[in-house]
Amino acid sequence: MTAARTLFDKVWTAHEVVAETVDTPAILYIDLHLTHEVTSPQAFSTLKSLGLPVRRPDRTLATMDHSTPTSTEQVFGNVPIKVDAAAKQVRQLEQNAAEFGVELFGMRDARRGIVHVISPELGATQPGMTIVCGDSHTSTHGAFGALAFGIGSTEVGHVFATQSLLQRKPKTFAVNVGGHLSPGVTAKDLILSIIGKIGVSGGTGHVLEYRGAAIRALSMDERMTVCNMSIEAGARAGMIAPDDTTFAYLEGRPRAPQGADWDAAVARWRTLVTDAGASFDASVDIDASLIEPMITYGTNPGMVVPIGGAIPDKRGDEVFGKALDYMGFHGGEAMLGKKVDVVFIGSCTNGRLEDLKAAAQILKGRKIAPGVRLLIVPGSQEIKRAAEAAGYADIFKAAGADWRESGCSMCLGMNGDTVAAGEYSISTSNRNFEGRQGVGARTLLVSPLTAAASAVKGLIADPRELMQ
Ligand code: SF4
């Protein structure tokens, strides 16, 4: 009889070319390598200097997202890309993709978007795969039961050349989420709450498996939001076992298996569950019913409180004090009612159609507060078209929002969409580190509902007040 195994163990073992030893890491086969303009130039240069090809172009997919502008004039008009470094990266990826035979969704491609949004959208992300990308939030794809994680530029070159990766085997961590989320409480609040509970290094060296009734009840968009931020808990990756929700999402997508191959794939994917009796190296239990809308107040995603809560008072903690100084906050202050300058709704965490629908629900028939700038950026061009067809874009524009082309935008301040020094940005992205959205920018992470409600009020607001 074979021993009970976790979902992670099953995927890892199926891809282990050579097992690790005390002295050497394992060699892991990679099914899908996603790449973009920021972490690929150095890797392509390495290939050129060694005279090597990309070993499996058919398992490599490139897009442009991090440094691409989101203004329609720069993407589809004749206005040149304003950020010089971004323009150079875009040109370099076009040249490298052509030279190495890698499929690229270029600037004006209807399938372009954030790398972690378009791969699931295409059906390229599938259960049981190993997926890597030179971006930390590759963990997003774990929502499909894939083992997916971010890699550095040197490793990008290694995967280009060998379609494999040297890896130490991580430990396993069960995140058991019972109960159900209350109205106005979203998957973003759930993952912020989990990070608040286990801490920003609580998952270090582990792969998280999100389990339990509250996880099973989530849509695929919501599962992607949860897995996306696994890295913010320090974890190598996050995974959710595939089920009927996963299969319904994937069926009929352009790169999903079709016909008899589809039936065979689903039969195989159904085995990708943690066996009864399998043990994890660590675990935590969460009651989803107790979670409130959450908001960060500091400079890492673990510095988070329920929206009606107050900033903890930790006098004497130098690191904590430095974070509050950067944010211009003090221990003991309430979060509700604080000033808002900029609101950003987008990113690979919350730039999907359901996120935009949630924002539209709050913004419909309302205007944003005077003095507030609201930027809404779809995760992909496909989502942009869907949001326009559903009428969300009209709602956003009528409310006073700036509606853009897809891209990473304000998730990171490298594409021209930035927050000014000292400004407070209510953001649906995933990182609130110092300077992440621009030099001196102060980022507060929230759900799309909370972001939209705060834009309307011009202050940090509880979305439930606008949902009655
Ligand atoms: S939206 Fe942010 S986290 Fe996601 S891929 Fe872009 S830069 Fe990375």
Side-chain angles (χ1 to χ4, degrees):
M1 205 174 96
T2 49
R5 293 189 298 161
T6 62
L7 164 62
F8 162 75
D9 274 323
K10 290 179 183 182
V11 179
W12 176 276
T13 307
H15 292 81
E16 212 176 37
V17 181
V18 178
E20 71 177 358
T21 68
V22 175
D23 300 320
T24 56
I27 300 177
L28 200 65
Y29 180 74
I30 302 303
D31 290 310
L32 178 62
H33 185 193
L34 303 168
T35 192
H36 58 84
E37 76 281 15
V38 176
T39 49
S40 63
Q42 183 194 321
F44 279 118
S45 297
T46 304
L47 290 188
K48 284 179 207 174
S49 67
L50 295 172
L52 293 171
V54 169
R55 185 174 169 87
R56 293 295 300 266
D58 57 322
R59 292 192 174 269
T60 309
L61 181 61
T63 189
M64 298 173 171
D65 52 6
H66 284 62
S67 60
T68 52
T70 59
S71 79
T72 304
E73 306 73 46
Q74 288 179 69
V75 178
F76 292 110
N78 292 321
V79 176
I81 297 174
K82 285 189 182 142
V83 179
D84 288 345
K88 188 172 169 224
Q89 286 170 339
V90 164
R91 277 197 308 273
Q92 265 187 321
L93 183 54
E94 285 168 349
Q95 286 163 4
N96 285 326
E99 187 177 336
F100 286 90
V102 168
E103 184 178 22
L104 167 67
F105 296 164
M107 279 286 278
R108 297 185 179 183
D109 195 305
R111 299 162 297 177
R112 190 180 65 81
I114 304 174
V115 64
H116 310 312
V117 176
I118 61 163
S119 181
E121 218 168 59
L122 286 166
T125 294
Q126 294 169 17
M129 280 184 162
T130 46
I131 302 175
V132 295
C133 174
D135 183 273
S136 309
H137 297 87
T138 307
S139 55
T140 310
H141 308 266
F144 292 78
L147 174 60
F149 50 89
I151 54 176
S153 290
T154 308
E155 292 173 306
V156 170
H158 196 278
V159 178
F160 276 155
T162 67
Q163 203 58 32
S164 63
L165 198 61
L166 298 172
Q167 280 291 294
R168 283 282 171 198
K169 189 175 183 180
K171 293 181 176 170
T172 54
F173 192 138
V175 181
N176 304 308
V177 191
H180 57 272
L181 294 172
S182 306
V185 182
T186 70
K188 180 63 163 290
D189 303 305
L190 169 60
I191 188 60
L192 283 172
S193 176
I194 291 169
I195 296 167
K197 180 153 182 168
I198 71 174
V200 289
S201 47
T204 302
H206 292 76
V207 168
L208 310 181
E209 184 185 331
Y210 302 98
R211 300 153 56 78
I215 299 297
R216 298 261 73 88
L218 298 177
S219 68
M220 288 314 297
D221 279 10
E222 292 171 318
R223 292 180 189 188
M224 284 189 261
T225 298
V226 170
C227 286
N228 174 274
M229 291 191 70
S230 306
I231 185 79
E232 306 307 334
R236 191 78 185 103
M239 299 176 85
I240 295 175
D243 59 11
D244 288 339
T245 303
T246 323
F247 310 143
Y249 176 99
L250 285 173
E251 190 166 14
R253 293 198 180 254
R255 303 204 180 181
Q258 312 287 331
D261 289 346
W262 169 258
D263 296 335
V266 171
R268 198 171 63 247
W269 294 342
R270 284 196 191 282
T271 67
L272 296 172
V273 292
T274 291
D275 298 328
S279 62
F280 290 85
D281 297 302
S283 68
V284 64
D285 295 327
I286 309 270
D287 183 350
S289 320
L290 301 178
I291 296 174
E292 302 276 316
M294 303 293 286
I295 186 163
T296 61
Y297 57 84
T299 54
N300 71 53
M303 301 177 80
V304 64
V305 288
I307 193 135
I311 298 169
D313 201 341
K314 294 191 185 178
R315 258 168 276 192
D317 182 331
E318 212 174 296
V319 176
F320 188 85
K322 184 174 166 284
L324 289 198
D325 283 350
Y326 180 83
M327 294 300 292
F329 293 157
H330 299 283
E333 286 179 341
M335 292 305 291
L336 280 175
K338 281 190 174 296
K339 177 178 174 248
V340 171
D341 299 302
V342 177
V343 176
F344 170 57
I345 297 176
S347 85
C348 61
T349 314
N350 282 130
R352 295 183 180 79
L353 195 62
E354 287 181 11
D355 301 312
L356 302 185
K357 183 181 180 184
Q361 185 188 342
I362 296 280
L363 292 169
K364 189 171 186 181
R366 296 188 169 111
K367 297 270 182 210
I368 61 173
V372 171
R373 179 182 174 210
L374 171 59
L375 191 69
I376 306 185
V377 184
S380 70
Q381 293 304 104
E382 182 172 319
I383 290 169
K384 180 166 195 257
R385 290 188 294 275
E388 287 172 350
Y392 307 151
D394 289 336
I395 292 171
F396 300 152
K397 288 187 264 187
D402 198 351
W403 172 241
R404 295 295 187 94
E405 304 299 331
S406 66
C408 296
S409 185
M410 272 188 192
C411 177
L412 80 177
M414 69 180 301
N415 47 53
D417 295 346
T418 52
V419 176
E423 283 190 333
Y424 288 98
S425 167
I426 306 295
S427 177
T428 66
S429 53
N430 46 46
R431 285 197 163 153
N432 52 348
F433 302 162
E434 288 188 22
R436 172 78 176 180
Q437 295 188 292
V439 177
R442 294 157 160 169
T443 303
L444 298 97
L445 303 176
V446 296
S447 75
L449 287 175
T450 301
S454 300
V456 169
K457 295 263 188 175
L459 302 165
I460 292 173
D462 188 328
R464 294 170 295 190
E465 285 174 24
L466 299 184
M467 292 177 70
Q468 283 128 22

